[in-house]
Amino acid sequence: MRRAIHFAAAILIAVLCLWGSVAPSAQGFANWNWNMMRGSRGADVTELQGRLRYVNYYHGAIDGVFGWQTYWAVRNFQRDVGLRVDGIAGPATKAALVQRSRGYRPAPAQTSAPPATGVGRFSARDIDLLTRLVYGEARGEPYVGQVAVAAVVLNRLEDPRFPHTIPGIIFQPGAFTSVSDGQIWLTPDSEARKAALDAIRGWDPTGGAIYYFNPATATSRWIWSRPQIKQIGRHIFTR
């Protein structure tokens, strides 16, 4: 009898030890009932970013700060797995993410800037995001049209109605189609980067535009009502 009890105890201890070794990565998240959203901070946000990166939805710094990049990564993940698309990481979103990132293991937080150089007041990250936007929005357009798209972002930077950073402008909800559908994360070519840099250096083919649209696909009455400046390639640029 004693031998059976000792054997059962040994089995229980082994199971508990095994559970303790796998539970953090298998279960994930310290607080399942916390709805993480834009502005949230902490270890669970760090894990959220890490898991989203593991399944190729998030490409920013793993810094524990729920910003626009994290917001759009959550929305795109929710859309693809059939959840309510609201950009809020609640229990259902976390459960689906854990299910799809089973091999995830935490990595050290990334708080330093990428090992690259910026231009003037624009950081390497600013230039990378602007390049990605140009490629996502305007690849296939004439070169001047690619510069024009970058110029619109920079013009918004000087307009008090818009956010005051490149990431803030690019990831503003509903601002750019390539962000909403994930094309901003395609690998850009050298022409897109050159176009972004030409705009940063002062070339604005749009004449001060802060919006643009494709007249072949635009259905918004509002965008058609904006004062038009010129058409470049397939885009009409407006104030």
Side-chain angles (χ1 to χ4, degrees):
M1 182 66 178
R2 287 182 179 177
R3 184 177 297 176
I5 293 173
H6 287 313
F7 179 75
I11 293 295
L12 178 60
I13 290 171
V15 169
L16 289 174
C17 288
L18 179 61
W19 173 254
S21 68
V22 301
S25 61
Q27 291 187 323
F29 300 106
N31 188 347
W32 278 90
N33 293 321
W34 180 32
N35 290 332
M36 291 180 284
M37 61 189 70
R38 196 167 64 85
S40 298
R41 295 170 178 261
D44 271 11
V45 177
T46 300
E47 180 167 353
L48 175 71
Q49 293 170 330
R51 288 183 179 275
L52 285 167
R53 173 177 284 185
Y54 185 80
V55 293
N56 204 34
Y57 282 87
Y58 180 71
H59 304 270
I62 299 177
D63 55 9
V65 180
F66 198 123
W68 284 120
Q69 240 177 311
T70 308
Y71 169 84
W72 280 106
V74 170
R75 284 183 61 97
N76 289 334
F77 175 78
Q78 290 171 327
R79 178 198 64 203
D80 289 350
V81 301
L83 295 173
R84 178 184 177 186
V85 180
D86 57 10
I88 298 173
T93 297
K94 285 185 269 191
L97 183 56
V98 167
Q99 177 71 17
R100 285 162 177 78
S101 59
R102 290 179 178 177
Y104 167 77
R105 292 294 183 274
Q110 300 175 356
T111 56
S112 58
T117 58
V119 175
R121 63 178 171 140
F122 299 103
S123 69
R125 180 170 180 250
D126 290 337
I127 296 169
D128 177 66
L129 284 175
L130 190 58
T131 299
R132 289 178 178 277
L133 184 79
V134 169
Y135 189 74
E137 294 278 317
R139 65 185 183 280
E141 290 293 300
Y143 181 72
V144 63
Q146 296 181 49
V147 178
V149 166
V152 165
V153 176
L154 300 179
N155 290 339
R156 291 185 181 189
L157 199 59
E158 306 302 323
D159 191 310
R161 293 171 294 179
F162 295 93
H164 302 299
T165 66
I166 293 292
I169 289 170
I170 289 177
F171 292 112
Q172 192 173 23
F176 296 101
T177 302
S178 64
V179 174
S180 300
D181 63 18
Q183 292 190 64
I184 193 171
W185 302 122
L186 296 173
T187 301
D189 57 19
S190 59
E191 187 174 58
R193 179 175 174 82
K194 185 174 182 293
L197 290 173
D198 274 344
I200 285 173
R201 291 172 181 136
W203 185 14
D204 179 7
T206 74
I210 55 174
Y211 301 103
Y212 62 87
F213 66 97
N214 185 335
T217 59
T219 58
S220 166
R221 291 184 179 180
W222 179 85
I223 194 63
W224 277 101
S225 72
R226 304 302 303 173
Q228 297 182 12
I229 301 174
K230 64 174 68 174
Q231 182 163 350
I232 304 173
R234 288 173 292 181
H235 290 140
I236 293 176
F237 292 82
T238 74
R239 292 187 173 86

